[in-house]
Amino acid sequence: MKGVGVWSIDGVYGGTLLAARGNGFVMFWDWELGEIVRRIDVDSVYWSGTSNLVAIAAEDSFYILQFYRDAYDAKVEEGAEIGDEGVEEAFDLVTEVPDARLPMLHYSSVRTAKWIGNCLIYSKTSNRLSYFVGTESYTISPADLYIHIPTMATSSPLSGIPEHLTLASTFDL
């Protein structure tokens, strides 16, 4: 597999592409060919299970990208040299959701996130529950609770946990 080199893997993500998080970047590979699709300098990855959308989180904002399989396949078919940075045309920026008011906590201002169809529901380190759909982000509720969004496909409840970590409430999506 190309692009592995010598770096520690801090996280692995499945989705339309295989992704691995290193120190300050994420590397995407094609599942079938094992070729690098793209390296992007971000901290976390949240794939949509139903489309080619991916949310990538950085220190002070996060980005929604669209993966274009046809652009990647065209480069591979023409025999282009695919270096360690991958194919730039494989991803296109849908939108950037800035949050410059927050300092870096953990990996990013996005604490947990889960795609439901083409809607990304996410919680921030500021304990805001928000969602992204289309090209816009909306805050559902600010809270004094730590909001956890489970990422397992079989679990759907959201949990609100106060500072001392006692379960406060759970509701289904």
Side-chain angles (χ1 to χ4, degrees), residues 62 97-102 105 108-113 122-131 137-139 145-147 149:
F62 72 96
V97 182
D99 197 357
R101 299 178 312 273
L102 298 174
L105 297 174
S108 68
S109 62
V110 176
R111 180 178 282 144
T112 56
Y122 60 97
S123 66
K124 296 182 175 183
T125 53
S126 62
N127 295 329
R128 293 183 182 275
L129 181 63
S130 302
Y131 69 96
S137 182
Y138 305 93
T139 297
L145 303 172
Y146 172 94
I147 300 170
I149 302 170

Side-chain angles (χ1 to χ4, degrees), residues 23-90:
N23 186 13
F25 68 93
V26 173
M27 186 77 77
F28 294 93
W29 291 277
D30 180 68
W31 282 103
E32 294 177 22
L33 301 176
E35 295 282 343
I36 295 173
V37 174
R38 190 79 177 118
R39 176 192 159 128
I40 301 175
D41 293 333
V42 294
D43 297 316
S44 296
V45 176
Y46 306 97
W47 273 106
S48 167
T50 59
S51 70
N52 290 330
L53 293 174
V54 61
I56 55 174
E59 181 178 330
D60 59 358
S61 63
F62 72 96
Y63 307 88
I64 307 297
L65 304 178
Q66 174 85 38
F67 170 61
Y68 290 102
R69 165 69 63 188
D70 293 340
Y72 171 73
D73 288 344
K75 287 287 187 186
V76 171
E77 287 174 11
E78 73 184 37
E81 178 66 30
I82 299 176
D84 286 343
E85 295 295 314
V87 178
E88 186 174 344
E89 298 85 3

Side-chain angles (χ1 to χ4, degrees), residues 89-159:
E89 298 85 3
F91 286 98
D92 192 28
L93 179 66
V94 174
T95 193
E96 176 183 1
V97 182
D99 197 357
R101 299 178 312 273
L102 298 174
M104 183 175 175
L105 297 174
H106 305 294
Y107 281 107
S108 68
S109 62
V110 176
R111 180 178 282 144
T112 56
K114 181 178 182 178
W115 285 93
I116 299 174
N118 285 336
C119 177
L120 177 70
I121 298 177
Y122 60 97
S123 66
K124 296 182 175 183
T125 53
S126 62
N127 295 329
R128 293 183 182 275
L129 181 63
S130 302
Y131 69 96
F132 169 86
V133 65
T135 59
E136 298 293 325
S137 182
Y138 305 93
T139 297
I140 297 170
S141 175
D144 291 333
L145 303 172
Y146 172 94
I147 300 170
H148 175 72
I149 302 170
T151 56
M152 299 297 291
T154 58
S155 56
S156 63
L158 300 176
S159 300

